[in-house]
Amino acid sequence: MIQPRPRTIPEATVARLAVYLRVLTALADGGRSTVASGELAAAAGVNPAGLRKDLSHLGPCGVRGVGYEVRTLRDRISRVLGVERSRPCVLVGIGNLGSALSDYAGFGSRGFEFVGLFDAAPARVGQRIGGHTVRPMDELEEVVAATQASIGVITTPAEVAQSVCDRLAAAGVRSILNFAPVTLSAPPGVDVRKVDLSVELQVLAFLGQQRLVSPVEEPA
């Protein structure tokens, strides 16, 4: 008997599902029981047709003329994204950005728990941030093995980010979020997502500059 292939959800859709989940969680916390597709789409910054297409990957969800049951849809997206179970994470690089991320309480409510914070600077080792003590780098592999950490966050300077990536992958981490301004190479089976804040700011600067440019008038 041929087993059906599991449903594959495009990466871009997964990113939007996370946004829908955030909106639905806020609605549920506010006591809402249902939400129309147009309202949910507007709150998420997409068009209703795109919303319906994204949610079609989850199977039947809404009721025509009623919309979506907020808690039901929230829970379904949570299951698809794996938010209902805690995912242990480690963070390497306790500078300003690393400290802010590790101290952010919102990750816990989305299913992500930091189980280890690491830095190579002796002055930072031993500091308490977000309820955790910053550890030296030579304890990285031991903590990853003991906690079964599956996600690593890199907020180090660019020149050491690749070596940190190599150590995380060798220790068993299979998903890496990289904030260092450098492209990382990872072995097969390890996913790397890059967040370059300077690039995003440059894109915003370009868009702002474009708005300031007066349109060229065509000759009569």
Side-chain angles (χ1 to χ4, degrees):
M1 178 178 179
I2 300 176
Q3 296 294 329
R5 297 182 63 182
R7 183 189 298 267
T8 299
I9 301 178
E11 185 174 314
T13 299
V14 172
R16 290 190 293 271
L17 288 176
V19 177
Y20 305 150
L21 177 59
R22 183 183 65 200
V23 174
L24 290 164
T25 299
L27 290 173
D29 291 344
R32 289 284 298 277
S33 58
T34 61
V35 61
S37 61
E39 181 184 357
L40 179 55
V46 301
N47 61 62
L51 170 73
R52 289 190 290 271
K53 182 178 180 181
D54 288 339
L55 296 183
S56 69
H57 292 281
L58 311 181
C61 293
V63 177
R64 185 179 296 275
V66 176
Y68 302 100
E69 292 186 0
V70 170
R71 294 184 182 277
T72 300
L73 184 56
R74 179 201 61 184
D75 293 344
R76 182 176 294 189
I77 295 176
S78 294
R79 288 193 297 271
V80 169
L81 297 181
V83 175
E84 77 280 2
R85 63 182 184 275
S86 179
R87 297 181 182 274
C89 311
V90 294
L91 185 146
V92 182
I94 309 299
N96 292 333
L97 178 57
S99 297
L101 291 174
S102 58
D103 198 34
Y104 176 55
F107 290 131
S109 63
R110 303 296 290 271
F112 303 100
E113 178 190 3
F114 283 119
V115 295
L117 309 178
F118 300 88
D119 201 280
R124 294 195 177 108
V125 173
Q127 292 181 357
R128 294 282 296 178
I129 302 175
H132 296 280
T133 300
V134 179
R135 298 169 177 262
M137 286 296 296
D138 57 11
E139 296 182 10
L140 177 63
E141 288 79 5
E142 177 186 350
V143 171
V144 170
T147 62
Q148 294 296 297
S150 58
I151 298 175
V153 180
I154 298 177
T155 54
T156 65
E159 59 268 21
V160 298
Q162 183 61 60
S163 64
V164 171
C165 176
D166 294 341
R167 289 182 62 177
L168 288 171
V173 171
R174 289 296 172 259
S175 301
I176 296 174
L177 182 61
N178 174 38
F179 284 90
V182 63
T183 300
L184 300 179
S185 175
V190 177
D191 298 314
V192 178
R193 301 272 304 181
K194 182 180 179 182
V195 180
D196 194 325
L197 299 179
S198 63
V199 169
E200 299 302 325
L201 288 172
Q202 287 168 349
V203 171
L204 288 173
F206 171 79
L207 295 175
Q209 177 178 284
Q210 290 296 102
R211 286 195 298 270
L212 296 177
V213 177
S214 299
V216 178
E217 294 185 2
E218 296 184 359

